[in-house]
Amino acid sequence: MRFGYIGLGIMGRPMTLNLLRAGFSGTVWARRAERMEPLVAEGAQRSASPAELAASVDVVFVNVSDTPDVEEVLFGAHGVIQGAKPGLVVVDHSTISPTATMRMADRLAEKGVDMLDAPVSGGEQGAISGTLTIMVGGKAPVLDKVRPLLEAEGKTITHVGDHGAGQMAKACNQLIIAQTMMGIAEAFTMAEAAGVDPARVREALMGGFAYSKVLEVHAERMLNRVYKPGFKARLHKKDMAIALQTAADLGLPVPGTALATQLINAAVGQGRGEEDSAVVAEVQRLLAPKA
Amino acid sequence: MRFGYIGLGIMGRPMTLNLLRAGFSGTVWARRAERMEPLVAEGAQRSASPAELAASVDVVFVNVSDTPDVEEVLFGAHGVIQGAKPGLVVVDHSTISPTATMRMADRLAEKGVDMLDAPVSGGEQGAISGTLTIMVGGKAPVLDKVRPLLEAEGKTITHVGDHGAGQMAKACNQLIIAQTMMGIAEAFTMAEAAGVDPARVREALMGGFAYSKVLEVHAERMLNRVYKPGFKARLHKKDMAIALQTAADLGLPVPGTALATQLINAAVGQGRGEEDSAVVAEVQRLLAPKA
């Protein structure tokens, strides 16, 4: 099975590398042509456009930033759909709108192209080590077909449901993390304001019901006040906007998600969008009482 | 070292039993006299009042509901302070106000009585199995003195800081759990509204950064819609009020905590105060879009 990979950024590049190293032959394309070079050096073929790439492979991975970017590489003038033959599978690793995903899957299906939405969690480290969590929406037989490739990219592959269900799981992931971070940021600021060491509070909580991966990983960034990403606040902001829009489309109020989004928006507004989104703790600290 | 135990409820009773079974001799007192019987059957002495109890032991454990209850058993007409000799240690396992705790510790110190605030996490199960997390505030040498007894009650004993620091850690614990539950409740309701199975979403998230003990334990209650406590919503409501009051006293805004409190208050208002506080998911479900 021959693969194509579109989008060779911080995530796409190591994921492509893992596919090549697992023995799959692949063709790559990126908007910035220089991004293809290191992968060509590892044995990948170069292509001139998503359309050309799609014509020569069995599976096309897409890993770009946002909904309009996915729409462009799939349906643009030189998009995947222009070169696709029936039976092609598109696997979208981008984090985008669940509802837009459902529309795209329908549009591809008209040309006999199968789509899986397959956003990931685990960050750059997970992409490099091939230990990503992959949340998949789409048809089970299609997932079965491409599973050997996904297994080269990630460790935990969960078929969540039909088209859009992978994106829905990712939206849930992001909004849960955001609210857990908000809670921990408030807790630490409150402890600090009372003269209690938040590091000791964290230690006391680690073994109990307040334990979370966020308390383990992100809370340490909050304590050290070092916010090397990890996952950038500006991308978390984008993902929270997706979650809020999805809830609004469904007619469901999500007050906690809305509130946590404000905190992330403020972090970006404070010029900290390139830092890990645990930097929301610094926004909460702006409101700490004067000594 | 001889201990006394005041408050033999759902937590105090199994904790006392573990102390007795570890070989410590103890005296018990409870407002409802019949609660003493099963412990007397296990070898405990009975006492007529907190004052009488305090006069005959080296360490007094207190495990009652709220700040006024602790004040009553310590400083009431027949309170601990009436019988206490200098050198007595009071260990308060109740979850109460950090600031009130500081005042109580000062008042006891005037009589030469040492106090530790030592709220616990881990629920009835943890109390029975002796695996509680104990968060301690107070002086380190006092903690060292009573540590053998605490080790019979719990597994993880953390000295967080000076008087009130244990209560502060517990408040942090409760507000973090409340916000994590709010996030998960919103996520599940959103998935459901889109026709995506929240159980599959949970499964996809378990191995990633959204993992928490709440996602493991409380989220399962939300999925099964069975809310056997665990930890009762009405007690979580009480603890959130403590966290909000503490933040207000400090002059710190905690919007996420305030919002999560509303959800718990609503659960109690819906008549579900005796159920596990994961029942907040049912409050969020009240707002789910009509099919």
Side-chain angles (χ1 to χ4, degrees):
Chain A
M1 209 158 22
R2 203 176 158 74
F3 77 90
Y5 213 109
I6 294 173
L8 304 169
I10 198 169
M11 297 297 284
R13 184 189 155 161
M15 289 167 81
T16 304
L17 215 49
N18 282 333
L19 285 162
L20 293 170
R21 288 179 180 166
F24 297 103
S25 15
T27 302
V28 293
W29 183 83
R31 206 154 36 178
R32 293 185 242 175
E34 72 277 11
R35 288 208 168 165
M36 291 188 262
E37 299 315 323
L39 293 156
V40 169
E42 295 274 345
Q45 301 291 307
R46 181 192 329 256
S47 71
S49 70
E52 187 191 291
L53 175 144
S56 69
V57 301
D58 307 298
V59 184
V60 175
F61 292 95
V62 178
N63 206 332
V64 294
S65 289
D66 207 347
T67 310
D69 306 300
V70 177
E71 277 164 347
E72 176 64 22
V73 300
L74 292 183
F75 306 111
H78 305 281
V80 165
I81 206 165
Q82 316 299 337
K85 274 166 285 202
L88 180 73
V89 179
V90 170
V91 177
D92 182 19
H93 283 314
S94 320
T95 295
I96 64 167
S97 157
T99 44
T101 292
M102 288 183 245
R103 286 195 304 270
M104 291 182 205
D106 286 346
R107 206 167 150 190
L108 289 170
E110 287 167 16
K111 299 272 180 180
V113 175
D114 289 311
M115 183 174 181
L116 297 175
D117 47 304
V120 303
S121 165
E124 187 181 2
Q125 263 317 312
I128 291 169
S129 58
T131 57
L132 292 168
T133 291
I134 310 181
M135 304 157 232
V136 185
K139 306 294 177 211
V142 178
L143 171 56
D144 289 342
K145 204 156 100 181
V146 303
R147 192 182 283 273
L149 291 119
L150 297 186
E151 282 170 349
E153 296 177 309
K155 199 178 58 174
T156 313
I157 300 156
T158 308
H159 184 220
V160 183
D162 208 343
H163 298 298
Q167 296 296 351
M168 181 58 76
K170 181 67 187 283
C172 290
N173 189 72
Q174 300 303 71
L175 72 84
I176 290 170
I177 289 172
Q179 290 183 65
T180 310
M181 288 199 311
M182 175 168 70
I184 294 170
E186 290 185 2
F188 283 5
T189 319
M190 185 168 85
E192 254 169 12
V196 174
D197 182 357
R200 304 292 297 164
V201 169
R202 173 172 173 269
E203 198 185 316
L205 269 45
M206 281 291 279
F209 280 123
Y211 173 81
S212 63
K213 204 77 186 160
V214 172
L215 188 67
E216 189 180 324
V217 176
H218 302 80
E220 201 171 21
R221 293 177 187 146
M222 295 178 188
L223 291 173
N224 299 335
R225 306 185 74 163
V226 174
Y227 301 98
K228 186 176 172 304
F231 184 69
K232 291 180 180 180
R234 70 172 168 81
L235 295 175
H236 208 163
K237 179 188 170 189
K238 180 209 78 167
D239 293 356
M240 294 304 280
I242 291 171
L244 284 180
Q245 189 57 53
T246 302
D249 291 348
L250 291 165
L252 176 76
V254 284
T257 301
L259 186 59
T261 302
Q262 308 312 305
L263 206 59
I264 297 175
N265 291 353
V268 176
Q270 295 289 320
R272 312 196 71 156
E274 298 299 320
E275 296 179 64
D276 186 85
S277 68
V279 75
V280 293
E282 298 301 323
V283 176
Q284 175 64 10
R285 274 200 179 109
L286 293 174
L287 299 168
K290 306 282 184 197
Chain B
M1 208 157 24
R2 203 176 160 74
F3 77 91
Y5 214 107
I6 294 173
L8 303 170
I10 197 168
M11 298 297 284
R13 182 188 158 163
M15 291 166 80
T16 304
L17 215 48
N18 282 333
L19 285 162
L20 293 170
R21 287 177 182 168
F24 297 104
S25 15
T27 303
V28 294
W29 184 82
R31 207 155 34 179
R32 292 186 245 174
E34 72 277 13
R35 289 209 168 164
M36 291 188 262
E37 299 314 323
L39 293 155
V40 169
E42 294 277 343
Q45 300 291 309
R46 185 191 326 258
S47 70
S49 70
E52 185 191 292
L53 175 145
S56 69
V57 300
D58 308 298
V59 184
V60 174
F61 292 96
V62 178
N63 207 333
V64 294
S65 291
D66 208 346
T67 309
D69 306 301
V70 177
E71 276 164 348
E72 175 64 23
V73 298
L74 291 184
F75 306 112
H78 305 281
V80 166
I81 206 164
Q82 318 298 338
K85 275 166 282 199
L88 180 73
V89 179
V90 169
V91 177
D92 181 20
H93 284 313
S94 321
T95 295
I96 64 166
S97 156
T99 44
T101 292
M102 287 183 247
R103 287 195 303 271
M104 290 181 204
D106 286 347
R107 205 165 151 192
L108 289 170
E110 287 167 18
K111 298 272 180 178
V113 174
D114 290 310
M115 182 175 181
L116 297 175
D117 47 304
V120 304
S121 166
E124 187 181 4
Q125 262 318 312
I128 292 169
S129 58
T131 56
L132 293 168
T133 292
I134 310 180
M135 305 157 230
V136 185
K139 306 295 177 210
V142 178
L143 171 56
D144 290 342
K145 203 156 100 179
V146 302
R147 192 181 282 274
L149 291 119
L150 297 186
E151 282 169 349
E153 296 177 308
K155 198 178 61 176
T156 314
I157 300 157
T158 308
H159 185 220
V160 184
D162 209 343
H163 297 299
Q167 296 295 352
M168 180 59 74
K170 180 68 186 284
C172 290
N173 189 72
Q174 300 302 72
L175 73 84
I176 290 170
I177 289 172
Q179 290 184 64
T180 310
M181 289 200 310
M182 176 168 67
I184 294 171
E186 290 186 0
F188 283 5
T189 319
M190 185 168 84
E192 256 170 8
V196 175
D197 182 358
R200 304 292 296 164
V201 170
R202 173 170 173 271
E203 197 185 317
L205 269 44
M206 281 292 279
F209 280 122
Y211 173 81
S212 63
K213 204 77 187 159
V214 173
L215 188 67
E216 189 180 322
V217 175
H218 302 79
E220 200 170 22
R221 294 176 187 147
M222 295 178 188
L223 291 173
N224 300 336
R225 308 185 72 164
V226 174
Y227 301 98
K228 187 177 171 303
F231 184 69
K232 291 181 180 180
R234 71 173 169 80
L235 295 174
H236 207 163
K237 179 187 169 189
K238 179 209 78 168
D239 293 356
M240 294 303 280
I242 290 171
L244 284 180
Q245 189 58 53
T246 302
D249 290 347
L250 292 165
L252 176 75
V254 284
T257 302
L259 187 59
T261 302
Q262 306 315 304
L263 206 58
I264 297 174
N265 291 353
V268 176
Q270 295 289 321
R272 312 196 70 157
E274 298 299 321
E275 296 180 62
D276 186 83
S277 68
V279 75
V280 292
E282 299 301 323
V283 176
Q284 175 64 9
R285 275 199 179 110
L286 293 175
L287 299 168
K290 305 282 181 197

